[in-house]
Amino acid sequence: MIDISNLHTGLFIGGGWRDAGETFTTLNPATGQPLAELAAAGSADVDAAVIAATSAYRGDWGALAPSRRGALLHRLADLVERDLEQLAALESMDMGRPVGMGAAMMIPNLVGTLRYYAGWADKINGELIANDGYLGGPVPTHAYTRRDPIGVVAAIVPWNAPLMILGWKLAPALACGNAVIVKPSEDASLSILRLAELVDEAGFPPGTVNVLTGAGKVAGEALALHPGIHKISFTGSTEVGRSIVRNSAVNFKRTALELGGKAPQVIFDDANLDAAIQGSAMGLFFNQGEVCAAGTRILAHRKVYEAVIEGLKAAAEAQIVGDPFDPATTMGPLVNERQRDRVVGYLRKGADEGADVVAGGNAPDGPGFFVNPTVLAGRNDMAVSREEIFGPVGVVIPFDSDDEAVELANDNQYGLSATIWTTDVSRAHGISARIDAGSIGVNGWSPLAPQLPWGGVKASGVGRELGYEGILSYTEPKTITVIL
Ligand code: NAD
C-alpha cells in the first residue's frame, strides 16, 4: 500500500481539477475496506469536458506541430517510467493484481505504447491517388487523401488493466491530434487520476486530455449520447458494448469495441507438454483470470488429456493467493464483491451441469474478494465453457482430431484470441487460419505489444487497436481532387 492522501480525487477538465456534485467510494478488494472518495461526474460535467476538449482540439492542441505532439508523448512516457512503481501500486490497491505483475508488464506496456505512437505523430500521411481524369475525360486531376484527426474522442476503459488499456486508446488518439475524454471504471480510477497529473506535468495544452471518474450508467452513457463527441473507444463487457453502439447512433459516432472473450488454448498431442501446461496455466491465472484474452477453454488432445489435467491441477495448487503487496503472492483478490459472487455463481453452475472439480472450485473465507484458482473437467456446451467468467477458472475439454479441435474452438460466441500448442509448423499455420479470432498465439500467449494489432471478431468486438491499425482508426481520410 502507498499513501494516496495527496492524489487528486476530482475531475480533470480543461487542465484543472474540480469537484462534481456527488462522490462515490472505491474499495480495497483485498480487505473490502474503503480506499478513496472520488468525484462522480454527471451530465453537466460531461458537457464541460466536451467544451474543454473541443477548444483544445480547435485551439492550442490542434495547432501544435506533429513533431511537438510526439515530443509531448515522449515526455509523458518518461514521467510514467519515472513513477512506474507508484502507478503499479495504485492499480494493485484498486483492483487487486500482485504489484510486481503491474510493474513488470502493464505499466511498461503503457510506456512502450506511448513511445511507439510518439514516433508515429509526424509520420501520418495520406496518399496521392492515380485516376482516370476529371469525370473520366481528358482533363487530368491531382487527387489525394489527407488523414485528419477525428475530433473529440471518449475513451471508456475497464478495471482489469486500466492504464495499459487506456494507453492503447490515448496514445494513438493523441498522436493523430485528437482531444480525449477518459472515463475510467468506477472500480479502478486511481492510476488514471495519477496519469492525469502526469499529463498536466508533461505540459499538454489544457483540455487535450480530460478525466471524468464516475458511474458507467451516468457519465459513460452521457458520453456515448453526447453530440459533441466524434468517437467512442470502448473496452469492456459485450453487453455494455451493445448499449454504446445504440447510444452512439445519435450522431453516428465512430465506435471501436474491445469486448469479452472465451479463448481456446488448443493443446495437440505433439506439443511440448511442459511448456503448454505452464503457458495454459498462465493464461488462466494471470491477473486473477480477469483478462479478456484469458485462455479459459483448454482443448486437449485425448492422448495428452490426463497429463494436461494433472499438470493444470499442480499449477493451480502452486498459486499463492493473498495480499497483492506480498512479493510471494501470485494471485490477488477479484476486483469487487459482485465479481467474486459472479465467479462463485459460475462454479455452482459448473457443478450443477456435471463438471468435475480438478482444483479449487470455491472461495476462501475471510475478508477480501478472493477466489481459489480453479480447474474443471467438462464439456464445451456447459455455461462455464460458453460464457465469459472473468475469474481464475478454466475448463479442460478433450478432442480427438484436428477438425474437432477447430470445431470446438469456433463453437463460441466470442472470437478475441486463441493459443495453439504444437511442434508441427504446418499444423500451426493451418489451424491458425481456421480459428475465428483476432489474434492467435502459437506456443505462447499473443503478446500485447504496441506494434501488433489487437481486437476481436464475433461478440469480442469491432475494430483493431495498436500498430498502424491504431493510427488508421483515429484519423478520418478526406479526399481532395484538384481539377487541373
Ligand atoms: P463494463 O462493461 O462493466 O465497464 C467498462 C467501462 O464501461 C467502465 O468504465 C464502465 O463504467 C463503463 N460503462 C458501464 N456501463 C456503461 C454504459 N451504459 N455506457 C457507457 N459506459 C458504461 O466492463 P468491466 O466489468 O469494467 O470490464 C470487464 C469486461 O471488459 C470483460 O467483459 C472483459 O472481457 C472486457 N475486456 C476486454 C478487453 C479487450 O481487449 N477485448 C480488455 C479488457 C477487458
Side-chain angles (χ1 to χ4, degrees):
M1 296 280 284
I2 56 169
D3 178 17
I4 55 169
S5 54
N6 288 328
L7 185 71
H8 281 99
T9 54
L11 308 175
F12 184 63
I13 299 177
W17 293 90
R18 59 173 87 169
D19 292 335
E22 293 180 33
T23 61
F24 67 100
T25 307
T26 178
L27 303 182
N28 176 344
T31 61
Q33 295 303 308
L35 193 56
E37 196 71 17
L38 306 179
S43 62
D45 302 307
V46 170
D47 288 343
V50 172
I51 289 169
T54 306
S55 85
Y57 169 66
R58 301 221 177 278
D60 290 351
W61 174 241
L64 213 59
S67 63
R68 289 295 308 145
R69 294 202 301 261
L72 282 169
L73 282 166
H74 272 303
R75 172 92 182 111
L76 183 59
D78 291 345
L79 297 177
V80 171
E81 199 161 44
R82 181 195 70 191
D83 292 351
L84 189 145
E85 303 286 343
Q86 182 199 32
L87 291 163
L90 287 170
E91 291 206 343
S92 292
M93 286 163 71
D94 229 2
M95 53 67 68
R97 153 202 320 135
V99 68
M101 206 177 267
M105 291 198 60
M106 280 78 172
I107 313 301
N109 184 284
L110 171 63
V111 174
T113 306
L114 288 167
R115 294 220 168 104
Y116 173 77
Y117 283 108
W120 267 112
D122 60 356
K123 299 169 193 69
I124 300 168
N125 303 318
E127 281 180 298
L128 184 65
I129 302 177
N131 64 90
D132 282 351
Y134 188 49
L135 303 176
V139 179
T141 74
H142 175 72
Y144 61 99
T145 53
R146 298 168 50 94
R147 285 221 156 250
D148 292 331
I150 294 175
V152 176
V153 172
I156 303 182
V157 296
W159 43 260
N160 63 330
L163 282 179
M164 181 176 88
I165 290 171
L166 174 58
W168 301 351
K169 306 176 187 311
L170 187 68
L174 294 178
C176 295
N178 301 281
V180 182
I181 301 172
V182 182
K183 216 304 272 160
S185 163
E186 45 275 59
D187 284 308
S189 307
L190 299 183
S191 62
I192 292 179
L193 288 170
R194 178 68 191 131
L195 187 76
E197 295 177 347
L198 299 182
V199 163
D200 197 25
E201 186 180 343
F204 283 85
T208 306
V209 179
N210 308 273
V211 176
L212 300 177
T213 47
K217 201 66 195 118
V218 182
E221 202 158 302
L223 287 167
L225 284 166
H226 204 292
I229 292 175
H230 308 104
K231 170 167 177 162
I232 301 268
S233 179
F234 170 77
T235 300
S237 58
T238 297
E239 188 193 334
V240 173
R242 279 200 185 95
S243 90
I244 296 216
V245 171
R246 278 194 300 272
N247 291 335
S248 295
V250 181
N251 63 331
F252 298 109
K253 290 178 187 69
R254 277 59 187 134
T255 48
L257 306 170
E258 301 281 351
L259 308 175
K262 192 76 193 176
Q265 309 203 54
V266 191
I267 306 178
F268 289 96
D269 57 348
D270 63 3
N272 172 340
L273 216 50
D274 286 345
I277 288 166
Q278 248 188 38
S280 299
M282 178 182 133
L284 278 182
F285 304 132
F286 183 76
N287 210 48
Q288 300 77 239
E290 294 167 318
V291 178
C292 50
T296 47
R297 286 188 299 144
I298 299 104
L299 309 180
H301 192 281
R302 203 172 298 276
K303 282 192 191 152
V304 295
Y305 176 75
E306 286 304 331
V308 168
I309 292 266
E310 282 314 306
L312 288 178
K313 177 178 162 62
E317 288 169 357
Q319 296 294 319
I320 300 169
V321 180
D323 175 6
F325 285 87
D326 181 338
T329 296
T330 60
M331 254 185 55
L334 301 193
V335 69
N336 59 27
E337 190 171 10
R338 185 169 33 90
Q339 187 64 13
R340 192 264 321 268
D341 292 349
R342 186 167 175 270
V343 174
V344 170
Y346 271 108
L347 297 178
R348 258 187 243 115
K349 255 190 221 174
D352 291 347
E353 288 185 310
D356 292 329
V357 178
V358 174
N362 51 19
D365 293 334
F369 311 128
F370 296 89
V371 172
N372 288 321
T374 295
V375 177
L376 304 173
R379 300 183 314 271
N380 203 41
D381 61 359
M382 295 171 162
V384 284
S385 309
R386 305 199 71 72
E387 295 166 25
E388 183 181 52
I389 298 177
F390 226 57
V393 182
V395 188
V396 190
I397 300 161
F399 69 85
D400 289 297
S401 67
D402 286 20
D403 283 348
E404 191 190 1
V406 171
E407 200 180 306
L408 289 170
N410 288 341
D411 181 18
N412 193 274
Q413 63 170 320
Y414 294 111
L416 184 60
S417 61
T419 308
I420 296 167
W421 298 91
T422 178
T423 50
D424 177 339
V425 75
S426 303
R427 175 180 267 158
H429 288 290
I431 301 285
S432 296
R434 292 173 66 194
I435 291 185
D436 302 333
S439 294
I440 312 263
V442 177
N443 295 328
W445 226 8
S446 296
L448 295 168
Q451 301 81 4
L452 303 178
W454 175 256
V457 300
K458 302 199 285 191
S460 289
V462 179
R464 294 290 178 275
E465 299 193 291
L466 298 174
Y468 182 50
E469 298 285 339
I471 294 296
L472 296 179
S473 76
Y474 285 98
T475 50
E476 285 284 5
K478 180 190 284 171
T479 307
I480 299 172
T481 307
V482 182
I483 293 104
L484 298 173

